[in-house]
Amino acid sequence: MVSLFENYEQQYSVLTADITAQIGLLTASATKDRRQLISNIEKHVEEAQELLEQMELEAREVDQSKRQRCRTKLDCYRAELKRLTLDYIKSRSVKQGILYDSTEELNDIRISSDQKQRLLDNSERIERTGKKLEEGYRVVVETQEIGNEVLKNLGEQRETIQRSRTRLREADEELNRSGRLMNSMIMRSLQQKVVIYTVCVCFIIAVCLGVYIGIKRR
């Protein structure tokens, strides 16, 4: 299955091939054909720049194993587009040994320096955008790693708290059992004291009755 990045690559290849072909035609074209070729080339260059931006975003979504390869391809594509832009600017410049037949064509040549600067600025803007996206992605990855580490530490602390709770619960149960055992021992001790006191009282009563009966018989 073709990925979205590969689909963008195919579209980019078609665009750059078309740009290359039209630059060749621009170099050898007559005056009446140049305006249409110039318009087509600039339109295709802008579309190629937009494709590179889309490919840059899509490269963030691919697997880690493919990400570096995508970045390497993007660097090559940017360099290729910059080279094509320079080739276009050279072809757009005044051709040696050819006289231009109209004022419009001459005016087009005069403003070529402004268009050259604009195209170069666009190429530099793409490079800066790519670097900013890479820097932003690096910050996101570092933040994600820090977040994962924090979550890991929180998980370990939660396990420690749960173990402490379990130990406290077990200690509380042991204390309850010890309390019930102490209460049982106290009750038994009281019962034994009552029995002993009862036996003593009965013994004293029996002795008193014996003495009383002995005295009365005399």
Side-chain angles (χ1 to χ4, degrees), residues 24-168:
L25 292 174
L26 180 64
T27 304
S29 67
T31 302
K32 62 181 181 179
D33 299 326
R34 289 174 61 83
R35 295 178 62 84
Q36 184 61 40
L37 285 172
I38 289 170
S39 177
N40 291 339
I41 291 172
E42 291 182 354
K43 179 180 178 182
H44 289 338
V45 168
E46 291 178 358
E47 291 177 358
Q49 291 170 347
E50 292 177 358
L51 273 176
L52 287 179
E53 292 176 356
Q54 293 296 327
M55 291 166 68
E56 179 71 34
L57 295 175
E58 187 62 26
R60 301 291 186 271
E61 305 297 331
V62 299
D63 296 337
Q64 184 70 32
S65 59
K66 300 179 181 179
R67 191 168 297 150
Q68 185 59 43
R69 185 175 62 182
C70 291
R71 289 180 178 176
T72 302
K73 288 183 177 181
L74 277 171
D75 291 338
C76 295
Y77 293 152
R78 291 192 188 99
E80 180 185 17
L81 184 58
K82 191 170 184 178
R83 178 185 59 79
L84 288 174
T85 303
L86 292 174
D87 290 344
Y88 161 67
I89 292 170
K90 292 177 182 178
S91 300
R92 181 75 197 278
S93 300
V94 179
K95 296 185 292 182
Q96 297 294 331
I98 294 179
L99 296 176
Y100 294 95
D101 299 328
S102 66
T103 304
E104 291 182 356
E105 180 66 15
L106 183 59
N107 290 334
D108 286 343
I109 297 304
R110 288 175 180 172
I111 65 173
S112 63
S113 60
D114 293 335
Q115 292 178 335
K116 173 182 177 180
Q117 186 62 42
R118 180 170 61 84
L119 291 171
L120 289 176
D121 289 342
N122 287 339
S123 298
E124 293 176 357
R125 178 176 59 83
I126 291 175
E127 292 180 1
R128 289 195 299 269
T129 301
K131 290 179 181 179
K132 288 181 180 179
L133 288 173
E134 290 178 0
E135 181 67 19
Y137 179 74
R138 184 181 63 80
V139 172
V140 170
V141 171
E142 291 178 355
T143 304
Q144 184 178 8
E145 291 176 354
I146 294 173
N148 291 335
E149 187 66 24
V150 171
L151 289 176
K152 181 180 178 181
N153 292 335
L154 289 175
E156 293 176 353
Q157 293 177 5
R158 180 181 178 183
E159 291 177 358
T160 302
I161 292 172
Q162 287 179 344
R163 287 195 296 268
S164 300
R165 278 183 172 180
T166 301
R167 286 195 292 268
L168 287 172

Side-chain angles (χ1 to χ4, degrees), residues 148-196:
N148 291 335
E149 187 66 24
V150 171
L151 289 176
K152 181 180 178 181
N153 292 335
L154 289 175
E156 293 176 353
Q157 293 177 5
R158 180 181 178 183
E159 291 177 358
T160 302
I161 292 172
Q162 287 179 344
R163 287 195 296 268
S164 300
R165 278 183 172 180
T166 301
R167 286 195 292 268
L168 287 172
R169 192 178 297 111
E170 292 174 352
D172 186 58
E173 292 177 356
E174 290 292 332
L175 288 174
N176 289 335
R177 283 195 293 269
S178 299
R180 288 194 295 270
L181 180 60
M182 289 294 295
N183 291 333
S184 177
M185 293 174 63
I186 291 171
M187 290 299 297
R188 289 179 182 177
S189 176
L190 291 175
Q191 290 175 355
Q192 290 175 358
K193 286 181 180 181
V194 170
V195 170
I196 290 172

